[in-house]
Amino acid sequence: MRTKKAKKARAETIGQILDELYPTTPVPLDHKDAYTLLVAVLLSAQCTDKRVNMVTPDLFALADNPHDMARQPVDKIQHTIRSCGLAPTKAKNVHALSHMLVDEFDGEVPGTLKELTKLPGVGRKTAQVVLSQWFDVPSFPVDTHIHRLAERWGLSKAKNVRQTEDDLRELFDESTWNARHLQIIFYGREYCPARGHDLETCVICRQIEAGEL
């Protein structure tokens, strides 16, 4: 079993590799403000970013703020996002959270984890994405992809994403969290997929396999 010091050293080297490959970390979901980002992140559950970016132009043409969205019938929202997975549930949540934003937050997206996770359909991961990518609050959102890579890279043996988040927060400097979670996602998609993984193109796993990392 690797010591905490060894894990931290590995994480530092992985961070250097990620910084070289992804010096900038553009937000993959199209948005113009905190509300449109929040909705886009909610829609991205069990759906690709590419698909979400195909759906949101029509959705935001229908309503791009909580006041207007709250006035839309749920079935109209659902029809607009029908190509996203779990569209019926997502439509209800988009409608309900828009109402709550109007009724309890003066139509503004709150900037704290506690308040964000009160919103319908907004879990810890979704809230942290909004906090990190819009409010620039140091956060380490962990989805199933980051959870998988943290285990593959020997950075965490956690059984759930919350514990993986805690492990990664300890290993990476707080100043890197907002970029690091995006870099890991980008790297996983490009070089370290769950299937069809090739050590020849995955420098991180290749070095780990060779005992160099």
Side-chain angles (χ1 to χ4, degrees):
M1 181 179 291
R2 296 180 66 83
T3 65
K4 184 175 179 180
K5 183 177 181 180
K7 283 185 179 180
K8 198 166 183 65
R10 175 178 285 185
E12 183 175 347
T13 301
I14 287 173
Q16 293 169 355
I17 293 170
L18 294 174
D19 285 339
E20 290 177 8
L21 289 171
Y22 307 104
T24 60
T25 51
V27 179
L29 293 169
D30 296 338
H31 65 284
K32 67 174 184 177
D33 54 22
Y35 176 74
T36 53
L37 176 60
L38 174 63
V39 171
V41 177
L42 187 152
L43 295 180
S44 69
Q46 297 187 34
C47 184
T48 65
D49 292 344
K50 182 179 179 180
R51 171 58 58 182
V52 173
N53 288 338
M54 292 171 63
V55 165
T56 49
D58 287 341
L59 178 63
F60 296 146
L62 182 69
D64 64 356
N65 62 81
H67 294 88
D68 290 342
M69 193 70 79
R71 289 193 284 265
Q72 299 299 322
V74 173
D75 60 353
K76 195 169 186 179
I77 298 172
Q78 181 179 329
H79 178 75
T80 307
I81 66 170
R82 62 191 181 279
S83 63
C84 281
L86 308 176
T89 299
K90 291 176 181 178
K92 291 177 184 177
N93 286 333
V94 169
H95 187 261
L97 74 81
S98 298
H99 265 290
M100 184 176 285
L101 288 174
V102 172
D103 295 341
E104 299 186 23
F105 298 99
D106 297 321
E108 299 293 329
V109 174
T112 69
L113 182 67
K114 183 177 180 180
E115 291 173 316
L116 281 167
T117 52
K118 289 181 180 178
L119 299 172
V122 179
R124 182 179 178 86
K125 194 268 291 189
T126 296
Q128 287 200 91
V129 171
V130 175
L131 288 174
S132 65
Q133 297 179 2
W134 184 261
F135 293 101
D136 201 29
V137 174
S139 308
F140 213 122
V142 173
D143 61 8
T144 54
H145 302 293
I146 293 178
H147 178 66
R148 172 179 62 82
L149 291 177
E151 181 179 18
R152 179 178 276 182
W153 295 345
L155 300 181
S156 175
K157 292 186 178 296
K159 300 300 183 183
N160 58 71
V161 294
R162 179 59 195 275
Q163 184 58 55
T164 297
E165 177 192 327
D166 291 342
D167 291 344
L168 295 180
R169 281 172 174 258
E170 285 191 12
L171 293 174
F172 292 104
D173 290 339
E174 183 176 309
S175 62
T176 71
W177 290 353
N178 290 354
R180 196 69 78 224
H181 87 272
L182 282 172
Q183 290 172 329
I184 294 173
I185 291 171
F186 296 160
Y187 186 89
R189 290 174 180 171
E190 191 170 359
Y191 301 107
C192 201
R195 299 178 181 177
H197 182 226
D198 184 358
L199 284 177
E200 290 302 312
T201 58
C202 181
V203 61
I204 291 175
C205 288
R206 187 172 70 245
Q207 289 188 21
I208 291 173
E209 186 76 11
E212 300 170 356
L213 182 57

